[in-house]
Amino acid sequence: MYDEQIEQEDMEAVRERMLLRLEQMRRNGVEFFIDGQAVLPVEAVARAVRENSPYMADYVLDASGAIEQVRFDRVTRW
């Protein structure tokens, strides 16, 4: 029970940090997609940050090398 509670708290901390980071990126013009659909950072975090998540982030850069999109795609084979 204790270990499960710690793991849950750790996962919540990871979600919160990622949400803050993605919100910051969004304010700087970065767009987010899940399986090709535009989403808000909160949706990306809810679906992509979980134990055994089947999603992988792909960063799309503009011509200057700055991140312009983050695409979370379902991994179906590995």
Side-chain angles (χ1 to χ4, degrees):
M1 173 76 171
Y2 179 73
D3 289 338
E4 290 176 18
Q5 182 179 0
I6 290 173
E7 288 177 17
Q8 183 64 25
E9 290 171 1
D10 289 346
M11 188 61 75
E12 290 300 321
V14 167
R15 283 187 189 104
E16 184 63 30
R17 283 193 308 270
M18 185 173 180
L19 180 57
L20 291 173
R21 180 67 180 130
L22 294 185
E23 286 289 354
Q24 179 184 26
M25 292 171 74
R26 187 174 76 82
R27 285 191 298 273
N28 289 320
V30 176
E31 298 175 294
F32 300 95
F33 297 85
I34 293 182
D35 296 325
Q37 299 271 19
V39 296
L40 295 172
V42 69
E43 295 169 278
V45 170
R47 294 200 32 208
V49 180
R50 55 185 153 171
E51 215 170 302
N52 300 317
S53 174
Y55 288 92
M56 180 177 72
D58 183 24
Y59 297 87
V60 179
L61 308 178
D62 65 14
S64 69
I67 299 171
E68 67 180 9
Q69 295 179 357
V70 180
R71 297 181 161 270
F72 296 92
D73 295 307
R74 182 179 294 269
V75 176
T76 57
R77 293 184 178 179
W78 53 84

